[in-house]
PDB file of all heavy atoms in Angstrom:
ATOM      1  N   LEU A   6     -42.776 -23.097 -16.653  1.00 98.00           N
ATOM      2  CA  LEU A   6     -43.431 -22.631 -17.879  1.00 98.00           C
ATOM      3  C   LEU A   6     -42.359 -22.146 -18.840  1.00 98.00           C
ATOM      4  O   LEU A   6     -41.558 -21.270 -18.488  1.00 98.00           O
ATOM      5  CB  LEU A   6     -44.397 -21.484 -17.554  1.00 98.00           C
ATOM      6  CG  LEU A   6     -45.786 -21.914 -17.092  1.00 98.00           C
ATOM      7  CD1 LEU A   6     -45.720 -22.669 -15.787  1.00 98.00           C
ATOM      8  CD2 LEU A   6     -46.694 -20.717 -16.973  1.00 98.00           C
ATOM      9  N   THR A   7     -42.351 -22.694 -20.045  1.00 98.00           N
ATOM     10  CA  THR A   7     -41.222 -22.476 -20.945  1.00 98.00           C
ATOM     11  C   THR A   7     -41.661 -22.575 -22.401  1.00 98.00           C
ATOM     12  O   THR A   7     -42.656 -23.240 -22.708  1.00 98.00           O
ATOM     13  CB  THR A   7     -40.133 -23.533 -20.662  1.00 98.00           C
ATOM     14  OG1 THR A   7     -39.120 -23.453 -21.657  1.00 98.00           O
ATOM     15  CG2 THR A   7     -40.673 -24.949 -20.632  1.00 98.00           C
ATOM     16  N   LEU A   8     -40.896 -21.946 -23.283  1.00 98.00           N
ATOM     17  CA  LEU A   8     -41.087 -22.165 -24.722  1.00 98.00           C
ATOM     18  C   LEU A   8     -40.236 -23.340 -25.198  1.00 98.00           C
ATOM     19  O   LEU A   8     -40.333 -23.742 -26.347  1.00 98.00           O
ATOM     20  CB  LEU A   8     -40.700 -20.894 -25.501  1.00 98.00           C
ATOM     21  CG  LEU A   8     -41.686 -19.731 -25.408  1.00 98.00           C
ATOM     22  CD1 LEU A   8     -41.078 -18.480 -26.028  1.00 98.00           C
ATOM     23  CD2 LEU A   8     -43.016 -20.068 -26.085  1.00 98.00           C
ATOM     24  N   PHE A   9     -39.379 -23.862 -24.312  1.00 97.00           N
ATOM     25  CA  PHE A   9     -38.456 -24.941 -24.695  1.00 97.00           C
ATOM     26  C   PHE A   9     -38.510 -26.086 -23.674  1.00 97.00           C
ATOM     27  O   PHE A   9     -37.560 -26.309 -22.915  1.00 97.00           O
ATOM     28  CB  PHE A   9     -37.034 -24.381 -24.842  1.00 97.00           C
ATOM     29  CG  PHE A   9     -36.950 -23.339 -25.911  1.00 97.00           C
ATOM     30  CD1 PHE A   9     -37.142 -21.994 -25.611  1.00 97.00           C
ATOM     31  CD2 PHE A   9     -36.729 -23.705 -27.234  1.00 97.00           C
ATOM     32  CE1 PHE A   9     -37.111 -21.029 -26.610  1.00 97.00           C
ATOM     33  CE2 PHE A   9     -36.689 -22.744 -28.236  1.00 97.00           C
ATOM     34  CZ  PHE A   9     -36.880 -21.408 -27.924  1.00 97.00           C
ATOM     35  N   PRO A  10     -39.638 -26.821 -23.656  1.00 98.00           N
ATOM     36  CA  PRO A  10     -39.801 -27.868 -22.639  1.00 98.00           C
ATOM     37  C   PRO A  10     -38.705 -28.949 -22.683  1.00 98.00           C
ATOM     38  O   PRO A  10     -38.347 -29.488 -21.634  1.00 98.00           O
ATOM     39  CB  PRO A  10     -41.180 -28.468 -22.935  1.00 98.00           C
ATOM     40  CG  PRO A  10     -41.660 -27.847 -24.188  1.00 98.00           C
ATOM     41  CD  PRO A  10     -40.829 -26.660 -24.500  1.00 98.00           C
ATOM     42  N   ASP A  11     -38.148 -29.217 -23.872  1.00 98.00           N
ATOM     43  CA  ASP A  11     -37.109 -30.263 -23.961  1.00 98.00           C
ATOM     44  C   ASP A  11     -35.886 -29.889 -23.125  1.00 98.00           C
ATOM     45  O   ASP A  11     -35.242 -30.746 -22.525  1.00 98.00           O
ATOM     46  CB  ASP A  11     -36.642 -30.462 -25.416  1.00 98.00           C
ATOM     47  CG  ASP A  11     -37.730 -31.100 -26.241  1.00 98.00           C
ATOM     48  OD1 ASP A  11     -38.743 -31.521 -25.659  1.00 98.00           O
ATOM     49  OD2 ASP A  11     -37.558 -31.157 -27.478  1.00 98.00           O
ATOM     50  N   PHE A  12     -35.586 -28.607 -23.119  1.00 96.00           N
ATOM     51  CA  PHE A  12     -34.455 -28.082 -22.350  1.00 96.00           C
ATOM     52  C   PHE A  12     -34.647 -28.421 -20.862  1.00 96.00           C
ATOM     53  O   PHE A  12     -33.751 -28.907 -20.180  1.00 96.00           O
ATOM     54  CB  PHE A  12     -34.464 -26.564 -22.560  1.00 96.00           C
ATOM     55  CG  PHE A  12     -33.228 -25.837 -22.163  1.00 96.00           C
ATOM     56  CD1 PHE A  12     -32.508 -25.114 -23.093  1.00 96.00           C
ATOM     57  CD2 PHE A  12     -32.791 -25.818 -20.842  1.00 96.00           C
ATOM     58  CE1 PHE A  12     -31.371 -24.416 -22.736  1.00 96.00           C
ATOM     59  CE2 PHE A  12     -31.659 -25.128 -20.474  1.00 96.00           C
ATOM     60  CZ  PHE A  12     -30.944 -24.417 -21.426  1.00 96.00           C
ATOM     61  N   VAL A  13     -35.861 -28.179 -20.395  1.00 98.00           N
ATOM     62  CA  VAL A  13     -36.190 -28.409 -18.979  1.00 98.00           C
ATOM     63  C   VAL A  13     -36.222 -29.908 -18.685  1.00 98.00           C
ATOM     64  O   VAL A  13     -35.679 -30.373 -17.678  1.00 98.00           O
ATOM     65  CB  VAL A  13     -37.548 -27.732 -18.656  1.00 98.00           C
ATOM     66  CG1 VAL A  13     -38.013 -28.072 -17.258  1.00 98.00           C
ATOM     67  CG2 VAL A  13     -37.431 -26.221 -18.850  1.00 98.00           C
ATOM     68  N   GLU A  14     -36.834 -30.670 -19.600  1.00 98.00           N
ATOM     69  CA  GLU A  14     -36.921 -32.131 -19.414  1.00 98.00           C
ATOM     70  C   GLU A  14     -35.527 -32.726 -19.271  1.00 98.00           C
ATOM     71  O   GLU A  14     -35.307 -33.632 -18.470  1.00 98.00           O
ATOM     72  CB  GLU A  14     -37.601 -32.802 -20.620  1.00 98.00           C
ATOM     73  CG  GLU A  14     -39.047 -32.417 -20.841  1.00 98.00           C
ATOM     74  CD  GLU A  14     -40.021 -33.131 -19.923  1.00 98.00           C
ATOM     75  OE1 GLU A  14     -39.597 -34.034 -19.180  1.00 98.00           O
ATOM     76  OE2 GLU A  14     -41.217 -32.760 -19.947  1.00 98.00           O
ATOM     77  N   SER A  15     -34.564 -32.223 -20.054  1.00 97.00           N
ATOM     78  CA  SER A  15     -33.231 -32.840 -20.033  1.00 97.00           C
ATOM     79  C   SER A  15     -32.578 -32.635 -18.667  1.00 97.00           C
ATOM     80  O   SER A  15     -31.841 -33.492 -18.198  1.00 97.00           O
ATOM     81  CB  SER A  15     -32.349 -32.313 -21.167  1.00 97.00           C
ATOM     82  OG  SER A  15     -31.962 -30.994 -20.890  1.00 97.00           O
ATOM     83  N   TYR A  16     -32.859 -31.528 -18.013  1.00 97.00           N
ATOM     84  CA  TYR A  16     -32.316 -31.315 -16.660  1.00 97.00           C
ATOM     85  C   TYR A  16     -32.891 -32.358 -15.690  1.00 97.00           C
ATOM     86  O   TYR A  16     -32.154 -32.998 -14.928  1.00 97.00           O
ATOM     87  CB  TYR A  16     -32.631 -29.901 -16.158  1.00 97.00           C
ATOM     88  CG  TYR A  16     -32.397 -29.764 -14.675  1.00 97.00           C
ATOM     89  CD1 TYR A  16     -31.106 -29.651 -14.166  1.00 97.00           C
ATOM     90  CD2 TYR A  16     -33.455 -29.833 -13.768  1.00 97.00           C
ATOM     91  CE1 TYR A  16     -30.875 -29.583 -12.802  1.00 97.00           C
ATOM     92  CE2 TYR A  16     -33.232 -29.768 -12.404  1.00 97.00           C
ATOM     93  CZ  TYR A  16     -31.946 -29.646 -11.928  1.00 97.00           C
ATOM     94  OH  TYR A  16     -31.716 -29.595 -10.575  1.00 97.00           O
ATOM     95  N   PHE A  17     -34.203 -32.536 -15.731  1.00 97.00           N
ATOM     96  CA  PHE A  17     -34.837 -33.444 -14.772  1.00 97.00           C
ATOM     97  C   PHE A  17     -34.539 -34.917 -15.090  1.00 97.00           C
ATOM     98  O   PHE A  17     -34.866 -35.793 -14.306  1.00 97.00           O
ATOM     99  CB  PHE A  17     -36.353 -33.202 -14.719  1.00 97.00           C
ATOM    100  CG  PHE A  17     -36.710 -31.967 -13.942  1.00 97.00           C
ATOM    101  CD1 PHE A  17     -37.071 -30.797 -14.589  1.00 97.00           C
ATOM    102  CD2 PHE A  17     -36.669 -31.963 -12.553  1.00 97.00           C
ATOM    103  CE1 PHE A  17     -37.389 -29.646 -13.877  1.00 97.00           C
ATOM    104  CE2 PHE A  17     -36.993 -30.824 -11.822  1.00 97.00           C
ATOM    105  CZ  PHE A  17     -37.350 -29.664 -12.483  1.00 97.00           C
ATOM    106  N   ALA A  18     -33.952 -35.166 -16.278  1.00 97.00           N
ATOM    107  CA  ALA A  18     -33.609 -36.548 -16.650  1.00 97.00           C
ATOM    108  C   ALA A  18     -32.177 -36.885 -16.262  1.00 97.00           C
ATOM    109  O   ALA A  18     -31.689 -37.966 -16.577  1.00 97.00           O
ATOM    110  CB  ALA A  18     -33.806 -36.730 -18.151  1.00 97.00           C
ATOM    111  N   THR A  19     -31.482 -35.964 -15.593  1.00 95.00           N
ATOM    112  CA  THR A  19     -30.037 -36.136 -15.378  1.00 95.00           C
ATOM    113  C   THR A  19     -29.674 -36.061 -13.898  1.00 95.00           C
ATOM    114  O   THR A  19     -30.209 -35.225 -13.161  1.00 95.00           O
ATOM    115  CB  THR A  19     -29.269 -35.002 -16.131  1.00 95.00           C
ATOM    116  OG1 THR A  19     -29.780 -34.913 -17.457  1.00 95.00           O
ATOM    117  CG2 THR A  19     -27.781 -35.284 -16.178  1.00 95.00           C
ATOM    118  N   SER A  20     -28.767 -36.941 -13.482  1.00 93.00           N
ATOM    119  CA  SER A  20     -28.053 -36.834 -12.209  1.00 93.00           C
ATOM    120  C   SER A  20     -28.956 -36.688 -10.987  1.00 93.00           C
ATOM    121  O   SER A  20     -29.929 -37.424 -10.841  1.00 93.00           O
ATOM    122  CB  SER A  20     -27.051 -35.670 -12.323  1.00 93.00           C
ATOM    123  OG  SER A  20     -26.226 -35.626 -11.196  1.00 93.00           O
ATOM    124  N   ILE A  21     -28.643 -35.728 -10.115  1.00 94.00           N
ATOM    125  CA  ILE A  21     -29.331 -35.609  -8.818  1.00 94.00           C
ATOM    126  C   ILE A  21     -30.829 -35.357  -8.995  1.00 94.00           C
ATOM    127  O   ILE A  21     -31.658 -35.927  -8.286  1.00 94.00           O
ATOM    128  CB  ILE A  21     -28.677 -34.483  -7.984  1.00 94.00           C
ATOM    129  CG1 ILE A  21     -27.313 -34.960  -7.488  1.00 94.00           C
ATOM    130  CG2 ILE A  21     -29.555 -34.051  -6.823  1.00 94.00           C
ATOM    131  CD1 ILE A  21     -26.504 -33.912  -6.752  1.00 94.00           C
ATOM    132  N   ALA A  22     -31.180 -34.521  -9.988  1.00 96.00           N
ATOM    133  CA  ALA A  22     -32.600 -34.230 -10.205  1.00 96.00           C
ATOM    134  C   ALA A  22     -33.339 -35.502 -10.612  1.00 96.00           C
ATOM    135  O   ALA A  22     -34.436 -35.785 -10.101  1.00 96.00           O
ATOM    136  CB  ALA A  22     -32.762 -33.144 -11.269  1.00 96.00           C
ATOM    137  N   ALA A  23     -32.745 -36.277 -11.511  1.00 96.00           N
ATOM    138  CA  ALA A  23     -33.394 -37.517 -11.976  1.00 96.00           C
ATOM    139  C   ALA A  23     -33.586 -38.482 -10.804  1.00 96.00           C
ATOM    140  O   ALA A  23     -34.639 -39.122 -10.676  1.00 96.00           O
ATOM    141  CB  ALA A  23     -32.561 -38.169 -13.073  1.00 96.00           C
ATOM    142  N   ARG A  24     -32.573 -38.581  -9.943  1.00 94.00           N
ATOM    143  CA  ARG A  24     -32.686 -39.470  -8.770  1.00 94.00           C
ATOM    144  C   ARG A  24     -33.779 -38.985  -7.828  1.00 94.00           C
ATOM    145  O   ARG A  24     -34.554 -39.776  -7.288  1.00 94.00           O
ATOM    146  CB  ARG A  24     -31.350 -39.519  -8.023  1.00 94.00           C
ATOM    147  CG  ARG A  24     -30.487 -40.676  -8.443  1.00 94.00           C
ATOM    148  CD  ARG A  24     -29.482 -41.102  -7.384  1.00 94.00           C
ATOM    149  NE  ARG A  24     -28.840 -40.033  -6.649  1.00 94.00           N
ATOM    150  CZ  ARG A  24     -27.761 -39.373  -7.051  1.00 94.00           C
ATOM    151  NH1 ARG A  24     -27.199 -39.677  -8.198  1.00 94.00           N
ATOM    152  NH2 ARG A  24     -27.236 -38.414  -6.310  1.00 94.00           N
ATOM    153  N   ALA A  25     -33.838 -37.657  -7.649  1.00 95.00           N
ATOM    154  CA  ALA A  25     -34.857 -37.103  -6.746  1.00 95.00           C
ATOM    155  C   ALA A  25     -36.261 -37.373  -7.291  1.00 95.00           C
ATOM    156  O   ALA A  25     -37.192 -37.649  -6.537  1.00 95.00           O
ATOM    157  CB  ALA A  25     -34.628 -35.606  -6.547  1.00 95.00           C
ATOM    158  N   VAL A  26     -36.412 -37.316  -8.621  1.00 95.00           N
ATOM    159  CA  VAL A  26     -37.711 -37.624  -9.239  1.00 95.00           C
ATOM    160  C   VAL A  26     -38.016 -39.119  -9.060  1.00 95.00           C
ATOM    161  O   VAL A  26     -39.100 -39.492  -8.608  1.00 95.00           O
ATOM    162  CB  VAL A  26     -37.709 -37.257 -10.752  1.00 95.00           C
ATOM    163  CG1 VAL A  26     -38.983 -37.765 -11.429  1.00 95.00           C
ATOM    164  CG2 VAL A  26     -37.561 -35.749 -10.941  1.00 95.00           C
ATOM    165  N   ALA A  27     -37.021 -39.960  -9.357  1.00 95.00           N
ATOM    166  CA  ALA A  27     -37.228 -41.414  -9.287  1.00 95.00           C
ATOM    167  C   ALA A  27     -37.598 -41.853  -7.874  1.00 95.00           C
ATOM    168  O   ALA A  27     -38.421 -42.751  -7.690  1.00 95.00           O
ATOM    169  CB  ALA A  27     -35.968 -42.145  -9.760  1.00 95.00           C
ATOM    170  N   ARG A  28     -37.020 -41.210  -6.873  1.00 93.00           N
ATOM    171  CA  ARG A  28     -37.302 -41.612  -5.485  1.00 93.00           C
ATOM    172  C   ARG A  28     -38.544 -40.927  -4.915  1.00 93.00           C
ATOM    173  O   ARG A  28     -38.884 -41.114  -3.761  1.00 93.00           O
ATOM    174  CB  ARG A  28     -36.106 -41.248  -4.598  1.00 93.00           C
ATOM    175  CG  ARG A  28     -34.887 -42.105  -4.902  1.00 93.00           C
ATOM    176  CD  ARG A  28     -33.776 -41.722  -3.967  1.00 93.00           C
ATOM    177  NE  ARG A  28     -32.531 -42.373  -4.320  1.00 93.00           N
ATOM    178  CZ  ARG A  28     -31.338 -41.979  -3.889  1.00 93.00           C
ATOM    179  NH1 ARG A  28     -31.258 -40.929  -3.085  1.00 93.00           N
ATOM    180  NH2 ARG A  28     -30.254 -42.607  -4.238  1.00 93.00           N
ATOM    181  N   GLY A  29     -39.179 -40.087  -5.731  1.00 94.00           N
ATOM    182  CA  GLY A  29     -40.421 -39.439  -5.302  1.00 94.00           C
ATOM    183  C   GLY A  29     -40.220 -38.241  -4.402  1.00 94.00           C
ATOM    184  O   GLY A  29     -41.166 -37.748  -3.785  1.00 94.00           O
ATOM    185  N   PHE A  30     -38.979 -37.701  -4.304  1.00 94.00           N
ATOM    186  CA  PHE A  30     -38.758 -36.510  -3.480  1.00 94.00           C
ATOM    187  C   PHE A  30     -39.298 -35.259  -4.162  1.00 94.00           C
ATOM    188  O   PHE A  30     -39.690 -34.304  -3.508  1.00 94.00           O
ATOM    189  CB  PHE A  30     -37.266 -36.309  -3.181  1.00 94.00           C
ATOM    190  CG  PHE A  30     -36.688 -37.383  -2.307  1.00 94.00           C
ATOM    191  CD1 PHE A  30     -35.517 -38.028  -2.646  1.00 94.00           C
ATOM    192  CD2 PHE A  30     -37.327 -37.745  -1.128  1.00 94.00           C
ATOM    193  CE1 PHE A  30     -34.985 -39.022  -1.838  1.00 94.00           C
ATOM    194  CE2 PHE A  30     -36.809 -38.745  -0.311  1.00 94.00           C
ATOM    195  CZ  PHE A  30     -35.638 -39.376  -0.663  1.00 94.00           C
ATOM    196  N   ILE A  31     -39.242 -35.248  -5.496  1.00 96.00           N
ATOM    197  CA  ILE A  31     -39.813 -34.107  -6.230  1.00 96.00           C
ATOM    198  C   ILE A  31     -40.659 -34.612  -7.397  1.00 96.00           C
ATOM    199  O   ILE A  31     -40.441 -35.717  -7.902  1.00 96.00           O
ATOM    200  CB  ILE A  31     -38.720 -33.141  -6.785  1.00 96.00           C
ATOM    201  CG1 ILE A  31     -37.734 -33.872  -7.700  1.00 96.00           C
ATOM    202  CG2 ILE A  31     -37.985 -32.434  -5.679  1.00 96.00           C
ATOM    203  CD1 ILE A  31     -36.826 -32.921  -8.481  1.00 96.00           C
TER     204      ILE A  31
END
Side-chain angles (χ1 to χ4, degrees):
L6 276 64
T7 172
L8 286 171
F9 299 91
D11 290 351
F12 195 120
V13 173
E14 296 281 353
S15 72
Y16 166 76
F17 284 103
T19 312
S20 187
I21 287 175
R24 266 204 320 275
V26 172
R28 291 182 188 163
F30 293 131
I31 57 168

